Amino acid sequence: MASQNVADYLLERLRAWGVEHVFAYAGDGINAVLAAWERAGNKPQFVQARHEEMCAFEAVGYAKFRGRVGVCMATSGPGAVHLLNGLYDAKLDHVPVVAIVGQTNRTAMGGSYQQEIDLLSLYKDVASDYVQMVTVPEQLPNVLDRAIRVAMTQRAPTALIIPADVQELDYSPPTHEFKMVPSSIGFNTPTLAPDDLAVQRAADTLNTGSKVALLVGQGARGAGDEIAQVADLLGAGAAKALLGKDVLSDELPWVTGSIGLLGTRPSYEMMTGCDTLLTIGSSFPYTQFLPEYGQARGVQIDIDGRMIGMRYPNEVNLVADAKTALQALIPLLQRKSDRGWRETIEANVARWWETMDMQAQVDADPVNPLRLFAELSPRLPDDAIVTADSGSSANWYARQLRFRGNIRGSLSGTLATMGPGVPYGIGAKFAHPGRPVIVFAGDGAMQMNGLAELITVKHYWQQWDDPRLIVAILHNNDLNQVTWEMRAMSGSPKFPQSQTLPDVDYAGFAAGLGLHADTVTDPDQLAGAWETALSADRPTVLDVHTDPNMPPIPPHATWEQFKSATAAVLAGDEDSWGFIKTGIKTKAQEFLPHKST
């Protein structure tokens, strides 16, 4: 039997950890690993992206939706550099990802050799929880095992650097000698229970409140039943941080939807009116959308002691698993007899969803982007996975889509980087090949990297049990979110030289790859386009020509503020008339009669 080298053992160890996919791109810095992959029969599966940044994004998407560690791999030098943006996305959204990168031979290190970069220094921030270089075979199992365990326990990216010549060395395990470090495989996720006295203090605080608001984040996933019990006992409503959109069903009448600049008016009104705030599994950073300091008493539950108590002056900070903490809290809560606060929240929520429906029906040129989302919402399969890119698509994802059942969804929450929508969707398909996936992406994100990654979709889609991966493109020839940020935050008109995009036939590109494709230029085509895509036997690209002048109006914007911004900002803007016409019609829907009033 031929001897096993370090590269062979690396793949064997990944298999032992249950790693099924590695999102990777080739290069001579990992040639020995590529050769080992051939000998291993492509197990774990090498998933070839078009660019290393996409490898990292796909690993992030996989980890977000599978609930397991995502693994990506790249060559030395430029390959390792390209992974960084996706790894920062993992770091800021608290996602377990392990990056494995090559390095030049040890004999060349320090000699300004080709593709030589000080990778330990480069990765020391993005993989600050754990980054190590393997220099001898005996080191490998411990370093790899720790990278995986640290990624899982800290919910963070970690990194292994393996020089090319080390990959080719015969593997020998650590021995029972001085300064050898043996290791083992396996990790059982702990249940972190709260302190009994702290739970009682939290209950006392919540019981004294008459207007309780909940803020729910991704750390509360899996605790939906307990949150519903708490909300019922306290007569509370619940707002959701963007990464927690799929934690609670939007069909629950007390769920106010997203919070923040991309949030809803009911969430804003609840936070401005509450006297008690319970935050569960969220480090939502935009404190201007939380209650004023001194307005509300605060309680927070979070499993990560590093992230607790840092957004609001809470009276009680419970470091514990959300589900376990809520189970301990529920018996101590007193049911509030006065349901007036809850009834107000539910009325505001009902009115909001009517407003969203009304805004989606506003005429636009040619297609109102809100209607693209609104037409999908009731058609979403109960097991769908939805991803959205950064940009204006994130606004409508946050506000228009009503999640229910087992629907999952995510986007780049904290880094808010452009480009992860399509690779997130690909990662989701490898995580759950039997579930339909829908991606919303702006045309800027598609031109940045989404078009190339459609080639990856073409390459792999026939492996998936359910072939439905739908990419809906908001085609408006504008870097739309930045355009609106310039108008609203800088008081500047659109700068066409930076904002206007070249026109591209996205459906034509997709059709050339053999994917199903549909161009939508009439809003009345949307329903049929969604139904066709959801019943297609292959991935679909919907090239939807949307109106760039549909404003993403913040939930706290009053009518007077909107009129003032319109007058102050749009002097000299090439789209001024389109904005005034479309924006005023959209904002007006909030003030027109509603069925619920």
Side-chain angles (χ1 to χ4, degrees), residues 577-588:
W577 172 242
F579 163 74
I580 293 170
K581 180 177 64 173
T582 307
I584 288 178
K585 284 192 296 183
T586 304
K587 184 64 179 175

Side-chain angles (χ1 to χ4, degrees), residues 3 80 106 152 186 215 250 284 292 321 329 371 396 457 485 510 531 555:
S3 62
R106 291 171 296 171
M152 295 169 70
L215 172 57
D250 287 305
F284 176 75
E292 293 276 356
D321 168 76
L329 186 63
R371 187 166 172 184
W396 320 130
V457 174
E485 287 170 348
E531 289 172 3

Side-chain angles (χ1 to χ4, degrees), residues 99-115:
I100 302 171
V101 296
Q103 176 61 291
T104 190
N105 286 18
R106 291 171 296 171
T107 53
M109 291 171 62
S112 297
Y113 207 73
Q114 183 190 32
Q115 295 192 341

Side-chain angles (χ1 to χ4, degrees), residues 164-245:
D165 60 326
V166 173
Q167 299 166 28
E168 297 176 341
L169 295 175
D170 288 344
Y171 175 71
S172 57
T175 60
H176 189 60
E177 296 178 16
F178 183 53
K179 294 191 177 181
M180 288 285 185
V181 186
S183 187
S184 58
I185 289 171
F187 175 80
N188 294 314
T189 303
T191 299
L192 185 59
D195 175 76
D196 290 343
L197 290 177
V199 173
Q200 184 63 62
R201 287 176 54 221
D204 292 344
T205 301
L206 295 169
N207 285 332
T208 60
S210 60
K211 298 179 178 179
V212 182
L214 309 184
L215 172 57
V216 175
Q218 64 174 340
R221 188 171 291 113
D225 291 343
E226 288 76 13
I227 293 169
Q229 290 182 61
V230 170
D232 179 62
L233 288 167
L234 298 176
K240 300 186 289 187
L242 200 53
L243 290 175
K245 181 174 173 64

